[in-house]
Structures are given as structure tokens and as C-alpha cells.
Amino acid sequence: MLKLTGLSKRYDTGDLALNDINLTVPAGQVMALIGPSGAGKSTLIRCVNRLVEPSHGTIELDGQDVTRVRGARLRQTRRQIGMIFQNHALVERLSVMENVLSGRLAYVGFWRSFFRRFPADDIRQAFNLLERVGLQTQFDKRGDALSGGQKQRVGIARALMQQPKLLLVDEPTASLDPKTSRQIMRLICDLCREQQLAAIINIHDVVLAQQFVDRVVGLRGGELVFDGDPKDLSPDI
Ligand code: ADP
Ligand code: ADP
């Protein structure tokens, strides 16, 4: 569960990107974050994964205050947060399997430890995840031999390989065709519910979000302007 209390961010430039955001995302809930460009969506995501230091407020992950943790505790916190990116961020010259296994190494010296042998349990889990995302027969293909949708499936499996408590998903369908976008959104939302993961999906396509998520939060000018059921969202938000 993620809990944001009174979260605000003012950048050094003076821009108030987030103003007193209060938000709880329980385990198993998929929340879409929507709003126009400049609304503060990226800032919110970056505060949670601690790429941006909040000016005020607290961030709690499963009851633990992670707002100002540093060093080893920050790495431990980030391991509990799976990230899925618009551009997949796969290592294209590595295989599908190696990309998925790399989720296990997130933030612990990726290149240094990569060629250590992986425990059999990790490999079994990676195969199970590849099966779940429909790529079990492609495990030895190189990242750059995959379609956009397949790359995103690998990105999803890699994020889950981390066994996170929270998924942060940044525009997962922005470079995909409409049919693939629906498949990817359905896969992410189903997996979060199956694995009881809290998720925040930063997404432009409101209609797509409404079809699959449990809850929509709208930001505008750093303020929370909507929080509710996707079907209650008016088109002019
Ligand atoms: P998106 O809306 O696609 O998330 P943006 O265009 O808002 O991307 O931001 C792109 C990058 O520029 C981000 O790294 C963001 O932090 C940075 N950025 C956005 N606005 C400013 C600004 N006013 N001053 C400095 N950096 C900014
Ligand atoms: P969104 O993701 O909804 O497009 P952002 O979080 O990128 O919104 O931006 C929110 C506000 O913060 C904007 O006014 C933007 O210009 C500003 N901003 C974003 N990143 C930076 C930054 N690195 N430095 C200064 N201002 C920024």
C-alpha cells in the first residue's frame, strides 16, 4: 500500500508542481493518473521513486516512511517499486530471459553481478513470468528482435521479477497501436490484481484508462482535481 500525505513539490525555479496531495493506493488497486501536460504527473511518480525530493509531506510504503531514506535503505525501497517505462528500457543486445532476470538485480550493481549464476528459483520464476506474459517460446530471442508489444511484455515481466509492492507505470502504451495498447493495459491490470500490487499508471489516453483501471486520479496545475471511479469521469477533466 502506498500512502502520500500532504505531498508538495516546489522546484528551484519556483514552479509549484505538486500542492498538498493526499492519496492512498491499497494493495491490488490500479490507479490511473491523468491530467494535461505540466499537471505534475511525472513529478508525483518521481517523488515516489525518489528521483525528486519532495518539499513537504510524507511517502509511506506498507506503513514505512520512505520520504527521506538514503543509502542502503533507499536501494531497498527502490527494489520494492517496479517501474514500467514508455520506451521499455530493455537492454536490446541481451536475451528476453536475461532482461527479465535483470529485474532481480535492480539497483544492486547491475553490470558487476550480471554474469553470476542465477539461482534455479530465479530462473523458474522468470520462466513462469514469461509464460504469464505470453513469451515463453521467445526466451532466447534478443531484445532488439521483438515487436513493441513484446518488448513491453518483457518490461512487465522484468518489473514483476523484482517482487515489488508497488508498480509505477509511465505511459506504457504511448508507442503502441490501439489493439496492442488494450492488451498491454489488460495484462498490467490483471497482474496487479492477481499479485495484490498497488499500481499508478501515468497515462494520456483517458478512454483506454477507463476501460481497465479501478480508479482515476486527475491532476491539474499540481492540484488533485478528481479522485474516483473511472466511469464518473467527465470528458472535460
Ligand atoms: P512529459 O510531460 O512527457 O512527462 P515533460 O515535457 O513534462 O515530459 O518533461 C520532460 C523533462 O523536462 C523532464 O525531465 C522534466 O523534469 C523536465 N522539465 C519539465 N519542465 C521543466 C522546467 N520548467 N524546468 C526544467 N526542467 C523541466
Ligand atoms: P506532467 O508530467 O503532468 O507533464 P511535470 O511533473 O513534468 O508534469 O511538471 C509539473 C510542473 O513542474 C510543470 O510546471 C513543469 O514545468 C515543472 N517541472 C517539471 N520538472 C521540472 C524540473 N526538473 N525543474 C523545474 N520545473 C520542473
Side-chain angles (χ1 to χ4, degrees):
M1 178 183 101
L2 174 73
K3 185 174 182 193
L4 308 180
T5 310
L7 193 72
S8 298
K9 173 64 185 176
R10 188 182 291 282
Y11 285 104
D12 295 341
T13 49
D15 282 314
L16 186 60
L18 292 176
N19 188 11
D20 194 22
I21 301 298
N22 295 289
L23 200 58
T24 299
V25 191
Q29 186 180 72
V30 182
M31 189 198 100
L33 190 59
I34 63 162
S37 191
K41 305 181 297 294
S42 312
T43 301
L44 191 148
I45 296 235
R46 286 182 195 143
C47 281
V48 173
N49 68 13
R50 292 286 313 280
L51 293 173
V52 159
E53 198 76 20
S55 310
H56 294 285
T58 57
I59 301 162
E60 285 168 66
L61 198 55
D62 274 2
Q64 288 208 318
D65 187 344
V66 298
T67 323
R68 290 179 217 292
V69 294
R70 293 191 192 286
R73 281 208 55 210
L74 177 57
R75 286 193 293 279
Q76 188 193 354
T77 301
R78 283 186 172 151
R79 246 174 276 148
Q80 299 173 346
I81 302 175
M83 299 284 304
I84 296 174
F85 305 95
Q86 173 178 343
N87 65 359
H88 333 294
L90 299 189
V91 183
E92 302 244 314
R93 62 189 180 77
L94 294 183
S95 70
V96 165
M97 186 65 173
E98 288 166 322
N99 270 287
V100 174
L101 283 167
S102 74
R104 201 42 123 228
L105 301 172
Y107 308 109
V108 288
F110 178 80
W111 292 111
R112 193 157 34 84
S113 49
F114 193 78
F115 293 103
R116 280 200 326 232
R117 282 169 57 112
F118 281 89
D121 275 354
D122 285 5
I123 297 188
R124 209 170 297 125
Q125 192 199 348
F127 264 116
N128 287 342
L129 281 169
L130 280 175
E131 193 168 14
R132 182 63 187 82
V133 302
L135 285 178
Q136 68 275 28
T137 58
Q138 319 277 322
F139 70 94
D140 58 348
K141 267 204 181 161
R142 271 172 60 125
D144 52 10
L146 303 176
S147 69
Q150 289 175 325
K151 286 180 186 173
Q152 196 53 290
R153 288 170 191 272
V154 178
I156 293 166
R158 178 184 55 189
L160 294 176
M161 191 70 199
Q162 248 174 275
Q163 300 181 318
K165 292 177 175 161
L166 172 72
L167 266 191
L168 297 178
V169 190
D170 191 19
E171 290 289 348
T173 63
S175 50
L176 302 176
D177 64 71
K179 180 163 172 252
T180 310
S181 295
R182 285 193 297 277
Q183 291 169 343
I184 291 293
M185 278 299 282
R186 175 172 290 125
L187 183 61
I188 293 173
C189 294
D190 285 351
L191 279 164
C192 286
R193 289 171 197 133
E194 280 167 28
Q195 307 205 0
Q196 282 298 295
L197 279 176
I200 298 182
I201 307 184
N202 182 351
I203 186 162
H204 268 94
D205 188 334
V206 176
V207 177
L208 182 64
Q210 280 178 303
Q211 286 178 285
F212 297 105
V213 303
D214 305 311
R215 173 184 178 190
V216 173
V217 164
L219 289 181
R220 183 183 288 257
E223 310 267 350
L224 200 153
V225 293
F226 179 87
D227 183 358
D229 199 291
K231 65 179 182 306
D232 297 334
L233 190 65
S234 69
D236 59 339
I237 186 106

PDB file of all heavy atoms in Angstrom, residues 85-89 147-152 170-181 184 204 208:
ATOM      1  N   PHE A  85       8.306   1.384 -18.262  1.00  0.00           N
ATOM      2  CA  PHE A  85       8.568   2.631 -18.977  1.00  0.00           C
ATOM      3  C   PHE A  85       7.914   2.636 -20.354  1.00  0.00           C
ATOM      4  O   PHE A  85       7.726   1.591 -20.972  1.00  0.00           O
ATOM      5  CB  PHE A  85      10.075   2.811 -19.175  1.00  0.00           C
ATOM      6  CG  PHE A  85      10.870   2.746 -17.905  1.00  0.00           C
ATOM      7  CD1 PHE A  85      11.450   1.553 -17.496  1.00  0.00           C
ATOM      8  CD2 PHE A  85      11.036   3.863 -17.107  1.00  0.00           C
ATOM      9  CE1 PHE A  85      12.187   1.481 -16.327  1.00  0.00           C
ATOM     10  CE2 PHE A  85      11.771   3.794 -15.936  1.00  0.00           C
ATOM     11  CZ  PHE A  85      12.346   2.606 -15.551  1.00  0.00           C
ATOM     12  N   GLN A  86       7.664   3.842 -20.838  1.00  0.00           N
ATOM     13  CA  GLN A  86       7.123   4.017 -22.191  1.00  0.00           C
ATOM     14  C   GLN A  86       8.011   3.356 -23.242  1.00  0.00           C
ATOM     15  O   GLN A  86       7.552   2.695 -24.148  1.00  0.00           O
ATOM     16  CB  GLN A  86       6.990   5.512 -22.465  1.00  0.00           C
ATOM     17  CG  GLN A  86       6.609   5.835 -23.874  1.00  0.00           C
ATOM     18  CD  GLN A  86       6.444   7.327 -24.079  1.00  0.00           C
ATOM     19  OE1 GLN A  86       6.308   8.090 -23.128  1.00  0.00           O
ATOM     20  NE2 GLN A  86       6.444   7.740 -25.319  1.00  0.00           N
ATOM     21  N   ASN A  87       9.331   3.544 -23.097  1.00  0.00           N
ATOM     22  CA  ASN A  87      10.257   3.037 -24.124  1.00  0.00           C
ATOM     23  C   ASN A  87      10.822   1.671 -23.756  1.00  0.00           C
ATOM     24  O   ASN A  87      11.856   1.269 -24.282  1.00  0.00           O
ATOM     25  CB  ASN A  87      11.379   4.045 -24.348  1.00  0.00           C
ATOM     26  CG  ASN A  87      12.235   4.202 -23.112  1.00  0.00           C
ATOM     27  OD1 ASN A  87      11.958   3.565 -22.089  1.00  0.00           O
ATOM     28  ND2 ASN A  87      13.261   5.006 -23.172  1.00  0.00           N
ATOM     29  N   HIS A  88      10.188   0.978 -22.830  1.00  0.00           N
ATOM     30  CA  HIS A  88      10.561  -0.370 -22.371  1.00  0.00           C
ATOM     31  C   HIS A  88      11.858  -0.404 -21.570  1.00  0.00           C
ATOM     32  O   HIS A  88      11.984  -1.143 -20.618  1.00  0.00           O
ATOM     33  CB  HIS A  88      10.692  -1.389 -23.515  1.00  0.00           C
ATOM     34  CG  HIS A  88       9.865  -1.085 -24.703  1.00  0.00           C
ATOM     35  ND1 HIS A  88       8.501  -1.109 -24.641  1.00  0.00           N
ATOM     36  CD2 HIS A  88      10.192  -0.707 -25.962  1.00  0.00           C
ATOM     37  CE1 HIS A  88       8.022  -0.786 -25.821  1.00  0.00           C
ATOM     38  NE2 HIS A  88       9.028  -0.520 -26.630  1.00  0.00           N
ATOM     39  N   ALA A  89      12.868   0.373 -22.047  1.00  0.00           N
ATOM     40  CA  ALA A  89      14.180   0.400 -21.399  1.00  0.00           C
ATOM     41  C   ALA A  89      14.776  -1.004 -21.268  1.00  0.00           C
ATOM     42  O   ALA A  89      15.387  -1.342 -20.263  1.00  0.00           O
ATOM     43  CB  ALA A  89      14.104   1.089 -20.021  1.00  0.00           C
ATOM     44  N   SER A 147       8.821  -7.181 -31.241  1.00  0.00           N
ATOM     45  CA  SER A 147       7.927  -6.072 -31.581  1.00  0.00           C
ATOM     46  C   SER A 147       7.753  -5.172 -30.353  1.00  0.00           C
ATOM     47  O   SER A 147       8.137  -5.549 -29.236  1.00  0.00           O
ATOM     48  CB  SER A 147       6.556  -6.631 -31.990  1.00  0.00           C
ATOM     49  OG  SER A 147       5.924  -7.192 -30.857  1.00  0.00           O
ATOM     50  N   GLY A 148       7.154  -4.004 -30.564  1.00  0.00           N
ATOM     51  CA  GLY A 148       6.946  -3.066 -29.458  1.00  0.00           C
ATOM     52  C   GLY A 148       6.131  -3.670 -28.327  1.00  0.00           C
ATOM     53  O   GLY A 148       6.445  -3.522 -27.148  1.00  0.00           O
ATOM     54  N   GLY A 149       5.070  -4.387 -28.694  1.00  0.00           N
ATOM     55  CA  GLY A 149       4.216  -5.011 -27.677  1.00  0.00           C
ATOM     56  C   GLY A 149       4.969  -6.087 -26.909  1.00  0.00           C
ATOM     57  O   GLY A 149       4.822  -6.213 -25.684  1.00  0.00           O
ATOM     58  N   GLN A 150       5.773  -6.883 -27.639  1.00  0.00           N
ATOM     59  CA  GLN A 150       6.558  -7.929 -26.967  1.00  0.00           C
ATOM     60  C   GLN A 150       7.581  -7.310 -26.021  1.00  0.00           C
ATOM     61  O   GLN A 150       7.792  -7.803 -24.904  1.00  0.00           O
ATOM     62  CB  GLN A 150       7.277  -8.799 -28.003  1.00  0.00           C
ATOM     63  CG  GLN A 150       6.326  -9.702 -28.782  1.00  0.00           C
ATOM     64  CD  GLN A 150       7.045 -10.467 -29.885  1.00  0.00           C
ATOM     65  OE1 GLN A 150       7.983  -9.955 -30.507  1.00  0.00           O
ATOM     66  NE2 GLN A 150       6.606 -11.690 -30.139  1.00  0.00           N
ATOM     67  N   LYS A 151       8.207  -6.214 -26.448  1.00  0.00           N
ATOM     68  CA  LYS A 151       9.179  -5.542 -25.570  1.00  0.00           C
ATOM     69  C   LYS A 151       8.503  -5.086 -24.285  1.00  0.00           C
ATOM     70  O   LYS A 151       9.062  -5.200 -23.191  1.00  0.00           O
ATOM     71  CB  LYS A 151       9.805  -4.333 -26.276  1.00  0.00           C
ATOM     72  CG  LYS A 151      10.818  -4.712 -27.333  1.00  0.00           C
ATOM     73  CD  LYS A 151      11.379  -3.473 -27.983  1.00  0.00           C
ATOM     74  CE  LYS A 151      12.293  -3.852 -29.136  1.00  0.00           C
ATOM     75  NZ  LYS A 151      12.741  -2.705 -29.912  1.00  0.00           N
ATOM     76  N   GLN A 152       7.278  -4.554 -24.433  1.00  0.00           N
ATOM     77  CA  GLN A 152       6.591  -4.091 -23.225  1.00  0.00           C
ATOM     78  C   GLN A 152       6.243  -5.269 -22.320  1.00  0.00           C
ATOM     79  O   GLN A 152       6.290  -5.153 -21.092  1.00  0.00           O
ATOM     80  CB  GLN A 152       5.354  -3.260 -23.605  1.00  0.00           C
ATOM     81  CG  GLN A 152       4.796  -2.424 -22.477  1.00  0.00           C
ATOM     82  CD  GLN A 152       5.831  -1.527 -21.817  1.00  0.00           C
ATOM     83  OE1 GLN A 152       6.735  -1.982 -21.115  1.00  0.00           O
ATOM     84  NE2 GLN A 152       5.725  -0.226 -22.062  1.00  0.00           N
ATOM     85  N   ASP A 170       4.819   4.355 -16.493  1.00  0.00           N
ATOM     86  CA  ASP A 170       4.842   5.650 -17.159  1.00  0.00           C
ATOM     87  C   ASP A 170       4.474   5.490 -18.631  1.00  0.00           C
ATOM     88  O   ASP A 170       5.266   4.967 -19.414  1.00  0.00           O
ATOM     89  CB  ASP A 170       6.235   6.269 -17.012  1.00  0.00           C
ATOM     90  CG  ASP A 170       6.238   7.723 -17.447  1.00  0.00           C
ATOM     91  OD1 ASP A 170       5.145   8.335 -17.504  1.00  0.00           O
ATOM     92  OD2 ASP A 170       7.317   8.246 -17.751  1.00  0.00           O
ATOM     93  N   GLU A 171       3.284   5.924 -18.999  1.00  0.00           N
ATOM     94  CA  GLU A 171       2.831   5.902 -20.401  1.00  0.00           C
ATOM     95  C   GLU A 171       3.144   4.575 -21.094  1.00  0.00           C
ATOM     96  O   GLU A 171       3.862   4.547 -22.104  1.00  0.00           O
ATOM     97  CB  GLU A 171       3.494   7.061 -21.176  1.00  0.00           C
ATOM     98  CG  GLU A 171       2.990   8.422 -20.778  1.00  0.00           C
ATOM     99  CD  GLU A 171       1.560   8.679 -21.248  1.00  0.00           C
ATOM    100  OE1 GLU A 171       1.055   7.884 -22.066  1.00  0.00           O
ATOM    101  OE2 GLU A 171       0.957   9.643 -20.791  1.00  0.00           O
ATOM    102  N   PRO A 172       2.592   3.464 -20.606  1.00  0.00           N
ATOM    103  CA  PRO A 172       3.013   2.152 -21.115  1.00  0.00           C
ATOM    104  C   PRO A 172       2.614   1.889 -22.561  1.00  0.00           C
ATOM    105  O   PRO A 172       3.181   1.020 -23.203  1.00  0.00           O
ATOM    106  CB  PRO A 172       2.276   1.175 -20.186  1.00  0.00           C
ATOM    107  CG  PRO A 172       1.070   1.928 -19.722  1.00  0.00           C
ATOM    108  CD  PRO A 172       1.531   3.344 -19.588  1.00  0.00           C
ATOM    109  N   THR A 173       1.636   2.641 -23.066  1.00  0.00           N
ATOM    110  CA  THR A 173       1.113   2.322 -24.394  1.00  0.00           C
ATOM    111  C   THR A 173       1.389   3.428 -25.407  1.00  0.00           C
ATOM    112  O   THR A 173       0.892   3.369 -26.528  1.00  0.00           O
ATOM    113  CB  THR A 173      -0.416   2.092 -24.315  1.00  0.00           C
ATOM    114  OG1 THR A 173      -1.027   3.312 -23.884  1.00  0.00           O
ATOM    115  CG2 THR A 173      -0.762   0.994 -23.334  1.00  0.00           C
ATOM    116  N   ALA A 174       2.185   4.414 -25.029  1.00  0.00           N
ATOM    117  CA  ALA A 174       2.325   5.602 -25.878  1.00  0.00           C
ATOM    118  C   ALA A 174       2.864   5.273 -27.266  1.00  0.00           C
ATOM    119  O   ALA A 174       2.560   5.968 -28.225  1.00  0.00           O
ATOM    120  CB  ALA A 174       3.206   6.628 -25.187  1.00  0.00           C
ATOM    121  N   SER A 175       3.677   4.209 -27.386  1.00  0.00           N
ATOM    122  CA  SER A 175       4.227   3.918 -28.717  1.00  0.00           C
ATOM    123  C   SER A 175       3.625   2.645 -29.323  1.00  0.00           C
ATOM    124  O   SER A 175       4.229   2.039 -30.195  1.00  0.00           O
ATOM    125  CB  SER A 175       5.758   3.812 -28.629  1.00  0.00           C
ATOM    126  OG  SER A 175       6.115   2.950 -27.576  1.00  0.00           O
ATOM    127  N   LEU A 176       2.432   2.267 -28.855  1.00  0.00           N
ATOM    128  CA  LEU A 176       1.815   1.025 -29.345  1.00  0.00           C
ATOM    129  C   LEU A 176       0.531   1.322 -30.130  1.00  0.00           C
ATOM    130  O   LEU A 176      -0.119   2.343 -29.898  1.00  0.00           O
ATOM    131  CB  LEU A 176       1.484   0.112 -28.168  1.00  0.00           C
ATOM    132  CG  LEU A 176       2.660  -0.290 -27.266  1.00  0.00           C
ATOM    133  CD1 LEU A 176       2.162  -1.120 -26.087  1.00  0.00           C
ATOM    134  CD2 LEU A 176       3.722  -1.052 -28.048  1.00  0.00           C
ATOM    135  N   ASP A 177       0.160   0.396 -31.017  1.00  0.00           N
ATOM    136  CA  ASP A 177      -1.105   0.555 -31.754  1.00  0.00           C
ATOM    137  C   ASP A 177      -2.276   0.278 -30.797  1.00  0.00           C
ATOM    138  O   ASP A 177      -2.081  -0.299 -29.720  1.00  0.00           O
ATOM    139  CB  ASP A 177      -1.136  -0.371 -32.974  1.00  0.00           C
ATOM    140  CG  ASP A 177      -1.107  -1.827 -32.571  1.00  0.00           C
ATOM    141  OD1 ASP A 177      -2.120  -2.312 -32.029  1.00  0.00           O
ATOM    142  OD2 ASP A 177      -0.062  -2.482 -32.761  1.00  0.00           O
ATOM    143  N   PRO A 178      -3.505   0.687 -31.183  1.00  0.00           N
ATOM    144  CA  PRO A 178      -4.632   0.590 -30.240  1.00  0.00           C
ATOM    145  C   PRO A 178      -4.898  -0.818 -29.717  1.00  0.00           C
ATOM    146  O   PRO A 178      -5.163  -0.995 -28.522  1.00  0.00           O
ATOM    147  CB  PRO A 178      -5.818   1.093 -31.061  1.00  0.00           C
ATOM    148  CG  PRO A 178      -5.214   1.981 -32.097  1.00  0.00           C
ATOM    149  CD  PRO A 178      -3.869   1.401 -32.412  1.00  0.00           C
ATOM    150  N   LYS A 179      -4.812  -1.833 -30.583  1.00  0.00           N
ATOM    151  CA  LYS A 179      -5.122  -3.198 -30.137  1.00  0.00           C
ATOM    152  C   LYS A 179      -4.067  -3.673 -29.135  1.00  0.00           C
ATOM    153  O   LYS A 179      -4.409  -4.203 -28.063  1.00  0.00           O
ATOM    154  CB  LYS A 179      -5.172  -4.130 -31.356  1.00  0.00           C
ATOM    155  CG  LYS A 179      -5.497  -5.564 -30.996  1.00  0.00           C
ATOM    156  CD  LYS A 179      -5.947  -6.362 -32.228  1.00  0.00           C
ATOM    157  CE  LYS A 179      -6.069  -7.840 -31.878  1.00  0.00           C
ATOM    158  NZ  LYS A 179      -5.015  -8.654 -32.476  1.00  0.00           N
ATOM    159  N   THR A 180      -2.798  -3.449 -29.469  1.00  0.00           N
ATOM    160  CA  THR A 180      -1.722  -3.854 -28.557  1.00  0.00           C
ATOM    161  C   THR A 180      -1.817  -3.070 -27.250  1.00  0.00           C
ATOM    162  O   THR A 180      -1.589  -3.615 -26.169  1.00  0.00           O
ATOM    163  CB  THR A 180      -0.349  -3.626 -29.224  1.00  0.00           C
ATOM    164  OG1 THR A 180      -0.374  -4.224 -30.520  1.00  0.00           O
ATOM    165  CG2 THR A 180       0.778  -4.239 -28.425  1.00  0.00           C
ATOM    166  N   SER A 181      -2.190  -1.797 -27.337  1.00  0.00           N
ATOM    167  CA  SER A 181      -2.341  -0.981 -26.130  1.00  0.00           C
ATOM    168  C   SER A 181      -3.357  -1.591 -25.176  1.00  0.00           C
ATOM    169  O   SER A 181      -3.130  -1.669 -23.972  1.00  0.00           O
ATOM    170  CB  SER A 181      -2.804   0.434 -26.492  1.00  0.00           C
ATOM    171  OG  SER A 181      -1.824   1.091 -27.247  1.00  0.00           O
ATOM    172  N   ILE A 184      -1.904  -4.703 -23.531  1.00  0.00           N
ATOM    173  CA  ILE A 184      -0.889  -4.398 -22.519  1.00  0.00           C
ATOM    174  C   ILE A 184      -1.556  -3.845 -21.254  1.00  0.00           C
ATOM    175  O   ILE A 184      -1.213  -4.224 -20.137  1.00  0.00           O
ATOM    176  CB  ILE A 184       0.155  -3.406 -23.092  1.00  0.00           C
ATOM    177  CG1 ILE A 184       1.004  -4.097 -24.176  1.00  0.00           C
ATOM    178  CG2 ILE A 184       1.026  -2.803 -22.001  1.00  0.00           C
ATOM    179  CD1 ILE A 184       1.910  -5.205 -23.692  1.00  0.00           C
ATOM    180  N   HIS A 204      -1.976   9.088 -20.890  1.00  0.00           N
ATOM    181  CA  HIS A 204      -2.641  10.173 -21.604  1.00  0.00           C
ATOM    182  C   HIS A 204      -4.031   9.773 -22.074  1.00  0.00           C
ATOM    183  O   HIS A 204      -4.939  10.587 -22.123  1.00  0.00           O
ATOM    184  CB  HIS A 204      -1.820  10.558 -22.851  1.00  0.00           C
ATOM    185  CG  HIS A 204      -0.838  11.641 -22.604  1.00  0.00           C
ATOM    186  ND1 HIS A 204       0.467  11.382 -22.276  1.00  0.00           N
ATOM    187  CD2 HIS A 204      -0.956  12.986 -22.623  1.00  0.00           C
ATOM    188  CE1 HIS A 204       1.105  12.512 -22.107  1.00  0.00           C
ATOM    189  NE2 HIS A 204       0.261  13.508 -22.304  1.00  0.00           N
ATOM    190  N   LEU A 208      -8.821   4.706 -22.778  1.00  0.00           N
ATOM    191  CA  LEU A 208      -8.136   3.428 -22.540  1.00  0.00           C
ATOM    192  C   LEU A 208      -8.054   3.157 -21.041  1.00  0.00           C
ATOM    193  O   LEU A 208      -8.346   2.053 -20.574  1.00  0.00           O
ATOM    194  CB  LEU A 208      -6.734   3.473 -23.162  1.00  0.00           C
ATOM    195  CG  LEU A 208      -5.881   2.222 -23.052  1.00  0.00           C
ATOM    196  CD1 LEU A 208      -6.513   1.063 -23.809  1.00  0.00           C
ATOM    197  CD2 LEU A 208      -4.469   2.496 -23.582  1.00  0.00           C
TER     198      LEU A 208
END
